[in-house]
Amino acid sequence: MRKRVFNRDAFEHFLQQQEKQELVEQLGDLFERFEVVSDYYKMALRSGRREVLEKYKDKIEDEFIIEDDEGNLLEPDTDKISIILNEFEMLNPKTNHLVEIICFSIELVGDFEEETDEILDDNFYVFFEELLAELLQKLEVQNQLKKFRIYICEIILSIADKSSFREELENIFHDFYDEIK
Protein backbone atom coordinates (compact mmCIF):
# COMPACT_ATOMS: atom_id res chain seq x y z
CA MET A 1 0.00 0.00 0.00
CA ARG A 2 1.33 3.40 -0.97
CA LYS A 3 2.03 5.86 1.83
CA ARG A 4 0.21 9.19 1.53
CA VAL A 5 2.40 12.25 1.51
CA PHE A 6 1.17 15.22 3.50
CA ASN A 7 2.92 18.35 2.36
CA ARG A 8 1.90 21.97 1.79
CA ASP A 9 -0.04 21.14 -1.37
CA ALA A 10 -2.00 18.42 0.41
CA PHE A 11 -2.59 20.76 3.34
CA GLU A 12 -3.87 23.52 1.06
CA HIS A 13 -6.16 21.02 -0.68
CA PHE A 14 -7.49 19.96 2.73
CA LEU A 15 -8.12 23.60 3.68
CA GLN A 16 -9.97 24.31 0.44
CA GLN A 17 -12.36 21.43 1.21
CA GLN A 18 -13.30 22.86 4.62
CA GLU A 19 -16.17 25.19 5.36
CA LYS A 20 -15.17 28.65 6.52
CA GLN A 21 -16.74 28.16 9.96
CA GLU A 22 -14.81 24.89 10.44
CA LEU A 23 -11.54 26.67 9.64
CA VAL A 24 -12.37 29.51 12.04
CA GLU A 25 -13.04 26.95 14.81
CA GLN A 26 -9.88 24.97 14.05
CA LEU A 27 -7.70 28.07 14.05
CA GLY A 28 -9.37 29.27 17.24
CA ASP A 29 -8.55 25.92 18.89
CA LEU A 30 -4.94 26.13 17.72
CA PHE A 31 -4.74 29.71 19.00
CA GLU A 32 -5.91 28.62 22.46
CA ARG A 33 -3.92 25.37 22.68
CA PHE A 34 -0.53 26.40 21.33
CA GLU A 35 1.32 29.42 22.65
CA VAL A 36 3.43 29.79 19.52
CA VAL A 37 0.27 29.98 17.38
CA SER A 38 -1.24 32.71 19.55
CA ASP A 39 2.11 34.54 19.51
CA TYR A 40 2.23 34.27 15.72
CA TYR A 41 -1.21 35.81 15.33
CA LYS A 42 -0.52 38.50 17.91
CA MET A 43 2.48 39.51 15.81
CA ALA A 44 0.67 39.13 12.47
CA LEU A 45 -2.38 41.08 13.60
CA ARG A 46 -0.26 43.76 15.30
CA SER A 47 -2.12 43.10 18.50
CA GLY A 48 0.19 42.38 21.38
CA ARG A 49 3.50 42.64 19.50
CA ARG A 50 5.13 44.37 22.45
CA GLU A 51 3.73 41.73 24.83
CA VAL A 52 5.18 38.92 22.71
CA LEU A 53 8.55 40.70 22.45
CA GLU A 54 8.69 41.16 26.23
CA LYS A 55 7.80 37.51 26.79
CA TYR A 56 10.69 36.35 24.60
CA LYS A 57 13.06 38.82 26.24
CA ASP A 58 12.02 37.34 29.61
CA LYS A 59 12.75 33.83 28.30
CA ILE A 60 16.25 34.92 27.27
CA GLU A 61 16.85 36.73 30.54
CA ASP A 62 15.83 33.59 32.45
CA GLU A 63 18.77 31.79 30.82
CA PHE A 64 21.10 34.35 32.43
CA ILE A 65 19.87 33.81 35.99
CA ILE A 66 20.28 30.06 36.45
CA GLU A 67 22.25 29.28 39.62
CA ASP A 68 24.15 26.24 40.81
CA ASP A 69 23.66 24.67 44.27
CA GLU A 70 25.91 27.32 45.89
CA GLY A 71 23.99 30.21 44.36
CA ASN A 72 26.59 31.04 41.70
CA LEU A 73 25.30 32.03 38.29
CA LEU A 74 25.89 29.40 35.64
CA GLU A 75 27.04 30.27 32.14
CA PRO A 76 23.90 30.70 30.03
CA ASP A 77 23.10 27.94 27.54
CA THR A 78 23.56 29.37 24.05
CA ASP A 79 21.68 26.44 22.52
CA LYS A 80 18.57 27.38 24.50
CA ILE A 81 19.03 31.06 23.69
CA SER A 82 19.37 30.17 20.00
CA ILE A 83 16.11 28.19 20.13
CA ILE A 84 14.31 31.11 21.78
CA LEU A 85 15.65 33.59 19.20
CA ASN A 86 14.82 31.28 16.27
CA GLU A 87 11.31 30.76 17.59
CA PHE A 88 10.87 34.51 17.92
CA GLU A 89 12.18 35.12 14.41
CA MET A 90 9.74 32.54 13.00
CA LEU A 91 6.92 34.73 14.32
CA ASN A 92 7.95 37.18 11.59
CA PRO A 93 8.60 40.18 13.84
CA LYS A 94 9.15 43.70 12.59
CA THR A 95 12.83 44.48 12.02
CA ASN A 96 12.96 46.85 14.99
CA HIS A 97 11.71 44.08 17.30
CA LEU A 98 14.35 41.69 15.99
CA VAL A 99 17.03 44.33 16.52
CA GLU A 100 15.73 45.00 20.03
CA ILE A 101 15.73 41.36 21.16
CA ILE A 102 19.21 40.66 19.77
CA CYS A 103 20.64 43.83 21.29
CA PHE A 104 18.93 42.96 24.57
CA SER A 105 20.66 39.54 24.48
CA ILE A 106 24.04 41.14 23.83
CA GLU A 107 23.47 43.61 26.64
CA LEU A 108 22.72 40.70 28.99
CA VAL A 109 26.14 39.23 28.19
CA GLY A 110 27.82 42.45 29.30
CA ASP A 111 25.69 42.60 32.46
CA PHE A 112 26.40 38.94 33.22
CA GLU A 113 30.13 39.45 32.74
CA GLU A 114 30.12 42.46 35.10
CA GLU A 115 27.99 40.75 37.72
CA THR A 116 30.03 37.56 37.86
CA ASP A 117 33.48 39.06 37.15
CA GLU A 118 34.17 35.94 35.12
CA ILE A 119 35.56 35.45 31.67
CA LEU A 120 33.25 33.06 29.91
CA ASP A 121 33.97 30.32 27.40
CA ASP A 122 35.17 31.62 24.02
CA ASN A 123 32.32 29.82 22.23
CA PHE A 124 29.85 31.72 24.40
CA TYR A 125 31.21 35.06 23.21
CA VAL A 126 31.51 33.87 19.60
CA PHE A 127 27.80 32.98 19.61
CA PHE A 128 26.80 36.55 20.45
CA GLU A 129 29.42 38.08 18.15
CA GLU A 130 28.05 36.02 15.25
CA LEU A 131 24.54 37.01 16.28
CA LEU A 132 25.47 40.68 15.91
CA ALA A 133 27.20 40.06 12.58
CA GLU A 134 24.16 38.20 11.22
CA LEU A 135 21.86 40.99 12.38
CA LEU A 136 24.00 43.64 10.71
CA GLN A 137 24.06 41.58 7.50
CA LYS A 138 20.24 41.42 7.53
CA LEU A 139 20.05 45.15 8.09
CA GLU A 140 22.48 45.74 5.25
CA VAL A 141 20.40 43.60 2.88
CA GLN A 142 17.26 45.49 3.97
CA ASN A 143 19.10 48.80 3.56
CA GLN A 144 18.36 49.64 7.21
CA LEU A 145 21.88 49.89 8.69
CA LYS A 146 21.65 53.66 9.04
CA LYS A 147 18.31 53.48 10.86
CA PHE A 148 19.71 51.34 13.71
CA ARG A 149 23.28 52.67 13.83
CA ILE A 150 22.96 54.80 16.99
CA TYR A 151 20.90 52.23 18.89
CA ILE A 152 23.34 49.38 18.19
CA CYS A 153 26.30 51.64 18.96
CA GLU A 154 24.80 52.55 22.35
CA ILE A 155 24.32 48.88 23.21
CA ILE A 156 27.95 48.12 22.40
CA LEU A 157 29.18 51.14 24.37
CA SER A 158 27.11 50.05 27.38
CA ILE A 159 29.42 47.06 27.81
CA ALA A 160 32.37 47.63 30.13
CA ASP A 161 35.45 49.20 28.50
CA LYS A 162 37.74 46.47 29.81
CA SER A 163 35.71 43.71 28.18
CA SER A 164 37.32 41.88 25.26
CA PHE A 165 33.73 41.07 24.23
CA ARG A 166 33.08 44.78 23.68
CA GLU A 167 36.23 45.07 21.60
CA GLU A 168 35.11 42.25 19.31
CA LEU A 169 31.63 43.77 18.98
CA GLU A 170 33.20 47.10 18.05
CA ASN A 171 35.27 45.36 15.36
CA ILE A 172 32.13 43.76 13.93
CA PHE A 173 30.34 47.11 14.11
CA HIS A 174 33.24 48.82 12.28
CA ASP A 175 32.99 46.24 9.50
CA PHE A 176 29.52 47.61 8.74
CA TYR A 177 29.87 51.23 9.81
CA ASP A 178 32.71 53.67 9.27
CA GLU A 179 33.22 54.66 12.90
CA ILE A 180 31.52 54.64 16.29
CA LYS A 181 30.68 58.15 17.47
Side-chain angles (χ1 to χ4, degrees):
M1 181 177 217
R2 198 172 132 204
K3 188 176 181 179
R4 294 180 87 186
V5 176
F6 194 75
N7 56 24
R8 184 181 175 113
D9 289 338
F11 181 61
E12 288 177 2
H13 179 73
F14 166 78
L15 292 175
Q16 289 170 354
Q17 305 306 312
Q18 304 299 305
E19 296 292 325
K20 181 178 179 179
Q21 188 56 38
E22 283 181 68
L23 291 173
V24 168
E25 288 175 20
Q26 288 175 15
L27 285 173
D29 288 343
L30 291 172
F31 183 88
E32 289 175 357
R33 290 176 51 188
F34 299 102
E35 184 179 12
V36 71
V37 174
S38 64
D39 289 345
Y40 174 82
Y41 281 104
K42 286 176 184 174
M43 295 295 275
L45 299 173
R46 299 180 183 163
S47 170
R49 280 184 173 174
R50 176 62 45 190
E51 171 192 332
V52 173
L53 173 65
E54 292 304 321
K55 180 171 71 172
Y56 279 85
K57 285 169 74 173
D58 288 344
K59 287 181 178 186
I60 292 169
E61 189 170 29
D62 287 347
E63 292 303 315
F64 282 83
I65 57 173
I66 298 173
E67 297 178 345
D68 63 15
D69 294 337
E70 289 92 42
N72 300 315
L73 287 175
L74 297 174
E75 184 171 308
D77 185 338
T78 54
D79 290 336
K80 288 181 181 177
I81 293 169
S82 178
I83 290 168
I84 294 166
L85 289 170
N86 287 334
E87 187 176 293
F88 180 76
E89 196 166 359
M90 287 181 5
L91 299 175
N92 198 21
K94 290 177 57 177
T95 301
N96 63 314
H97 291 144
L98 187 60
V99 169
E100 185 176 338
I101 199 167
I102 289 173
C103 287
F104 175 77
S105 301
I106 290 169
E107 205 169 17
L108 286 173
V109 174
D111 294 347
F112 184 87
E113 192 176 54
E114 279 187 62
E115 189 172 323
T116 61
D117 288 329
E118 290 185 30
I119 303 298
L120 303 166
D121 182 69
D122 285 344
N123 291 330
F124 179 79
Y125 291 115
V126 167
F127 172 81
F128 289 97
E129 291 160 6
E130 289 174 352
L131 195 60
L132 177 64
E134 290 169 12
L135 174 64
L136 293 174
Q137 287 171 341
K138 284 179 188 176
L139 293 176
E140 186 175 50
V141 167
Q142 296 173 1
N143 199 27
Q144 293 194 28
L145 276 172
K146 187 175 181 179
K147 178 179 179 181
F148 295 101
R149 182 180 190 273
I150 294 171
Y151 177 69
I152 294 170
C153 179
E154 287 174 350
I155 297 300
I156 293 170
L157 294 176
S158 73
I159 297 170
D161 285 338
K162 65 181 188 258
S163 171
S164 61
F165 177 57
R166 175 176 164 171
E167 186 178 325
E168 287 301 319
L169 294 177
E170 287 176 342
N171 290 336
I172 294 166
F173 186 89
H174 284 298
D175 287 345
F176 289 89
Y177 299 98
D178 294 330
E179 59 188 37
I180 297 178
K181 290 185 180 179

